[in-house]
Amino acid sequence: MPVRPAVTEAELEAHLRGICFKTGPPRRIGVEIEFLVHDARNPRCPVEPTRLHSAATALRALPLTSLLTFEPGGQLELSSLPATSLSACIEAVTADLALVRPAMRAMGLGMAGHGHNPWHAPHRVLVDDPRYDAMEAYFDRWGSAGRSMMCGTASVQVCVDAGYEEPGPLGYGRRWLLAHLLGAVLAAAFANSPTSEGCPTGYRTTRQVVWSQLDPDRTLAPPQEPDPRAAWARYVLDAPVMCLRSEHGSWHAPEGLTFREWVRTGVPRPPTQEDLDYHVTTLFPPVRPRGHLELRMIDAQAGDGGWIVPLAVTAALFDDPEATETAYRIVKSLAETAGSRPAPRNPLWRRAAREALTDPELHAAAVACFAAAREALPRLGASLGVIAAVEEFTERYVARGRCPADDHLDALYTAEYAADHAPEHAAAAGPACAIDTTDITDPAVFTERPAGGLSLGKDTP
């Protein structure tokens, strides 16, 4: 007979509904910023695990207010505490980076803001970790995109409060829908990962394509329904279990076992509420409700303060009532383009990944949204420096239908042109990267290249 679960299915569903959208006035803001760690003298050279372990030890001794962690490929992540204002969040993380960056330089290490590693194939650095062992084995069932996600991607994740219980511009239902439509605009505007192993992938945010090719039951958005709480609870319980934690041995889970089935059968052991909470941390939709809303679609940005602009724009469009109403009216029309398929596999998000702001519809939406954010920032108490940074980004990229990825592509094409017209210099610099001009119209999947890297194919998942 099946073992009776430690908690019932109804109790777990009620728990999920109670913790996923914690409503109230939007007052807090947070950010998680990731960086690719590289050798300061040669970014193309992977950093040895021993150097990264030494760096982790040294950085954890610093008096940081943010939580510091390292991802499987050695990416450094700083997760801020929830701040009571945009300015307070920026000041706290800036102060932490002022300690982290010089410490990294002293160890001969650099921190780069790219959404996807542009230099070399994904390589796992953090080994002998049962969570990452299980995650790697799980995602290997879906091809090589899982290892690329784990070891070669970096992002700026903005966290905003869920909003009011009541309907309206700041109601949690409206903000949930806004996040999934505006998310495509943010992904396009801040796209910053057009290459892999030195070659263009055909996308301006390769990171977003990588995420779209993982297990759909844990990386696609839940269905858009009138009751987001019910939709999220169902999504969580019906998602496959990635790992069963154990004090001894591996954490691998039976293939195809959903959390709901685990509860109903109690095999190999009855799950607990703590198991459910851990299960939620293994789900990676583009917007994840964890009491607050965690927006996960923005590529890591270059420069010491590149992360500030996406944080400021997102905060303004979510937390200023006038700006959020404007943004909602702007992006509501994008729902027709998105269609019924969930993000990031629907047409809107695919266009954001491939074309970014060269797409006329996304460009028009971005121009209007950035204008609304700029008007809202003084009302949120943003500093003149933050406002200037948003204005500069808008003028350099958004107004011109460009994104940071276009700078990388321009530089790559210029280098190739120079190499083609100066073969004696090209021989010294090494072989040029071949530009992939294949028109990929279907959802791309990553396949193994003979050299072990990633290439984009045309197979539909």
Side-chain angles (χ1 to χ4, degrees), residues 58-127:
L59 295 180
R60 287 178 180 132
L62 298 175
L64 306 176
T65 60
S66 301
L67 174 66
L68 183 142
T69 55
F70 281 86
E71 297 296 308
Q75 308 97 308
L76 185 155
E77 178 178 315
L78 285 177
S79 303
S80 76
L81 295 175
T84 56
S85 69
L86 172 63
S87 295
C89 182
I90 293 173
E91 290 170 3
V93 177
T94 299
D96 285 342
L97 285 171
L99 297 175
V100 169
R101 288 187 183 278
M104 291 286 281
R105 285 196 296 268
M107 292 180 282
L109 298 174
M111 297 159 52
H114 299 279
H116 184 274
N117 194 313
W119 303 300
H120 48 76
H123 173 68
R124 186 172 161 197
V125 175
L126 298 184
V127 296

Side-chain angles (χ1 to χ4, degrees), residues 309 313 366-367 370-371 374 389-400:
V309 175
V313 169
V367 168
F370 271 69
R374 166 61 183 86
V390 171
E391 290 176 339
E392 181 183 355
F393 187 96
T394 303
E395 180 179 352
R396 179 176 179 178
Y397 297 116
V398 179
R400 300 168 61 197

Side-chain angles (χ1 to χ4, degrees), residues 3-342:
V3 179
R4 186 182 184 280
V7 285
T8 68
E9 190 174 331
E11 289 170 337
L12 291 176
E13 183 173 349
H15 173 67
L16 286 169
R17 293 172 66 100
I19 67 170
C20 58
F21 296 91
K22 294 182 179 178
T23 53
R27 292 191 178 124
R28 296 175 299 176
I29 187 77
V31 67
E32 300 175 18
I33 53 177
E34 296 173 331
F35 300 93
L36 301 176
V37 177
H38 60 85
D39 184 271
R41 292 174 298 178
N42 184 7
R44 298 177 183 274
C45 180
V47 179
E48 300 87 350
T50 53
R51 294 181 67 190
L52 282 173
H53 285 292
S54 297
T57 300
L59 295 180
R60 287 178 180 132
L62 298 175
L64 306 176
T65 60
S66 301
L67 174 66
L68 183 142
T69 55
F70 281 86
E71 297 296 308
Q75 308 97 308
L76 185 155
E77 178 178 315
L78 285 177
S79 303
S80 76
L81 295 175
T84 56
S85 69
L86 172 63
S87 295
C89 182
I90 293 173
E91 290 170 3
V93 177
T94 299
D96 285 342
L97 285 171
L99 297 175
V100 169
R101 288 187 183 278
M104 291 286 281
R105 285 196 296 268
M107 292 180 282
L109 298 174
M111 297 159 52
H114 299 279
H116 184 274
N117 194 313
W119 303 300
H120 48 76
H123 173 68
R124 186 172 161 197
V125 175
L126 298 184
V127 296
D128 299 326
D129 184 301
R131 174 184 170 94
Y132 293 144
D133 289 342
M135 184 181 292
E136 184 177 82
Y138 181 91
F139 282 126
D140 277 350
R141 302 170 190 168
W142 297 85
S144 59
R147 297 194 181 206
S148 184
M149 176 275 289
M150 292 174 61
C151 304
T153 61
S155 69
V156 176
Q157 297 178 18
V158 181
C159 299
V160 297
D161 277 333
Y164 288 102
E165 186 73 25
E166 299 79 12
L170 298 181
Y172 81 93
R174 171 80 69 85
R175 287 162 75 84
W176 179 244
L177 177 59
L178 173 65
H180 287 88
L181 295 175
L182 180 62
V185 179
L186 296 174
F190 297 107
N192 189 36
S193 52
T195 61
S196 175
E197 299 182 60
C199 295
T201 63
Y203 290 83
R204 285 173 168 83
T205 167
T206 301
R207 173 183 168 274
Q208 196 60 59
V209 178
V210 169
W211 278 104
S212 73
Q213 300 311 314
L214 302 176
D215 171 15
D217 290 323
R218 68 183 346 99
T219 59
L220 297 188
Q224 288 292 334
E225 298 180 0
D227 185 354
R229 288 191 174 100
W232 176 249
R234 187 164 55 252
Y235 176 92
V236 172
L237 292 176
D238 289 336
V241 177
M242 176 177 286
C243 56
L244 300 177
R245 292 176 296 166
S246 172
E247 294 183 3
H248 308 287
S250 70
W251 287 17
H252 301 298
E255 186 170 352
L257 175 69
T258 68
F259 203 94
R260 191 184 304 276
E261 291 167 342
W262 187 15
V263 174
R264 290 177 176 179
T265 63
V267 177
R269 63 169 176 80
T272 64
Q273 182 176 298
E274 183 181 4
D275 288 319
L276 180 67
D277 292 339
Y278 188 85
H279 173 64
V280 170
T281 71
T282 72
L283 306 178
F284 309 108
V287 183
R288 184 164 61 178
R290 304 187 68 182
H292 56 274
L293 303 182
E294 182 183 77
L295 281 70
R296 305 171 51 83
M297 71 291 297
I298 301 171
D299 279 359
Q301 301 293 296
D304 288 352
W307 55 276
I308 293 175
V309 175
L311 170 63
V313 169
T314 305
L317 295 177
F318 272 87
D319 290 349
D320 180 82
E322 183 177 339
T324 195
E325 180 64 23
T326 299
Y328 180 73
R329 290 200 304 267
I330 293 167
V331 302
K332 190 176 181 181
S333 62
L334 299 179
E336 183 175 349
T337 301
S340 59
R341 297 192 69 183

Side-chain angles (χ1 to χ4, degrees), residues 398-442:
V398 179
R400 300 168 61 197
R402 291 174 60 86
C403 63
D406 291 311
D407 288 349
H408 296 292
L409 292 173
D410 288 349
L412 182 61
Y413 297 151
T414 299
E416 289 201 337
Y417 179 87
D420 288 342
H421 289 75
E424 67 279 7
H425 298 304
C433 175
I435 303 299
D436 180 6
T437 57
T438 304
D439 180 19
I440 303 173
T441 55
D442 290 334

